[in-house]
Amino acid sequence: MPKKQKINILWFRNDLRIRDSRSLFKISHEKLPFLAVYIFDETFYTDTHHGFRKIGKFRAKFLLETVLDLEKSLDQKNIPFLKKFGRTEEIFKQISGHFEIENIFCQREWTKEETETENQVRQITPSAKWIRSYSQLLLETDFVYDKLNRIPLLFTTFRQKIEKDFKIRSEFDSEHLIYGGEILSPRPESDHISMKTLGFDDFENNSSTAFPFSGGETEGWRR
């Protein structure tokens, strides 16, 4: 049996951008080749026991546009990207069948469903090291911890204690990276994802909508 290629994983979850991406910046400075991954978890697109889906058609369309824009941006940087539809733990099991996953880089989450999914992935990849980053916060967690013994009950008190020495960190220069790592073998193949895949008919937004926005980092910067 041939030896599996060692790789790192860049797991995109709620941080669907390349600009100022701490995880992308960190993983690009590693010696191992890496694979960027996004998974449309099927449990969010099927009816729950309450009789409705966790994600409706408007959010699904926005999210699909965002992931397709991310795919285009990563392709311009020669970064291999895998987008799949299915259960997250099963997709990681498939990846583990082809590669030896050394490290998993991702945004740190703390809400119930995200942490449950992460724990499932940990069981699939018990030997992988996790490098998680807070990239969704305006304030650095270490900065807040250094300034406060505990979080005040009132926001005004919190703001007054923080804003005296508050500094905005510099961006992580992940936007201008070009991937030149080792070619992955075998080359993973993405699923063709459409609204139909997610369980919806495609549609056009009403011309009088109050939210005429398309998904994606590119569209976000245009706004």
Side-chain angles (χ1 to χ4, degrees):
M1 184 175 179
K3 190 176 181 180
K4 294 179 183 178
Q5 183 181 19
K6 293 183 178 181
I7 67 168
N8 291 332
I9 293 291
L10 173 57
W11 183 16
F12 283 100
R13 304 171 76 180
N14 296 318
D15 51 334
L16 303 178
R17 67 180 192 276
I18 62 169
R19 180 168 175 175
D20 194 32
S21 171
R22 182 177 298 190
S23 294
L24 176 55
F25 181 81
K26 285 184 175 181
I27 199 170
S28 64
H29 287 81
E30 296 287 317
K31 293 181 179 180
L32 285 178
F34 70 90
L35 173 66
V37 176
Y38 181 82
I39 300 167
F40 291 88
D41 195 304
E42 64 182 30
T43 59
F44 286 85
Y45 301 94
T46 54
D47 289 344
T48 66
H49 63 279
H50 296 294
F52 57 84
R53 304 175 187 179
K54 296 178 181 179
I55 293 182
K57 69 175 185 178
F58 292 102
R59 182 182 173 190
K61 185 178 180 68
F62 190 90
L63 184 57
L64 178 58
E65 291 169 343
T66 302
V67 173
L68 293 178
D69 181 66
L70 175 66
E71 181 177 35
K72 183 178 178 180
S73 297
L74 292 172
D75 183 64
Q76 292 172 348
K77 299 183 177 302
N78 300 322
I79 296 174
F81 179 59
L82 181 69
K83 68 178 189 296
K84 302 290 284 185
F85 177 83
R87 297 184 69 89
T88 299
E89 64 272 22
E90 291 299 324
I91 301 301
F92 269 91
K93 185 181 295 184
Q94 293 173 17
I95 298 172
S96 298
H98 296 291
F99 302 100
E100 183 177 341
I101 301 174
E102 291 285 298
N103 302 290
I104 298 176
F105 292 75
C106 63
Q107 177 173 281
R108 185 167 187 169
E109 305 288 351
W110 57 86
T111 48
K112 181 177 183 292
E113 290 176 335
E114 279 82 357
T115 53
E116 287 178 348
T117 300
E118 185 176 307
N119 289 334
Q120 291 170 347
V121 173
R122 286 180 182 273
Q123 294 178 12
I124 300 298
T125 59
S127 61
K129 179 181 178 182
W130 289 70
I131 297 90
R132 302 181 299 168
S133 303
Y134 284 113
S135 56
Q136 69 274 60
L137 305 176
L138 179 62
L139 297 174
E140 292 284 344
T141 53
D142 290 341
F143 174 79
V144 175
Y145 182 79
D146 184 58
K147 294 295 178 183
L148 301 172
N149 293 324
R150 62 179 181 176
I151 301 296
L153 294 176
L154 300 178
F155 175 75
T156 300
T157 306
F158 173 82
R159 177 180 57 79
Q160 289 172 344
K161 289 180 175 293
I162 291 296
E163 66 182 3
K164 293 179 183 179
D165 303 312
F166 176 57
K167 294 180 181 179
I168 298 176
R169 64 166 174 78
S170 300
E171 286 190 17
F172 290 95
D173 189 19
S174 55
E175 186 181 11
H176 301 101
L177 297 171
I178 298 294
Y179 179 72
E182 183 181 344
I183 297 176
L184 300 183
S185 179
R187 177 86 180 202
E189 291 189 8
S190 290
D191 292 339
H192 174 73
I193 310 291
S194 64
M195 287 292 287
K196 186 70 71 175
T197 309
L198 304 179
F200 302 99
D201 292 327
D202 201 0
F203 64 94
E204 296 294 332
N205 287 329
N206 191 293
S207 59
S208 60
T209 180
F211 304 98
F213 307 125
S214 298
E217 180 181 20
T218 303
E219 287 295 323
W221 280 106
R222 287 175 183 168
R223 294 197 292 269

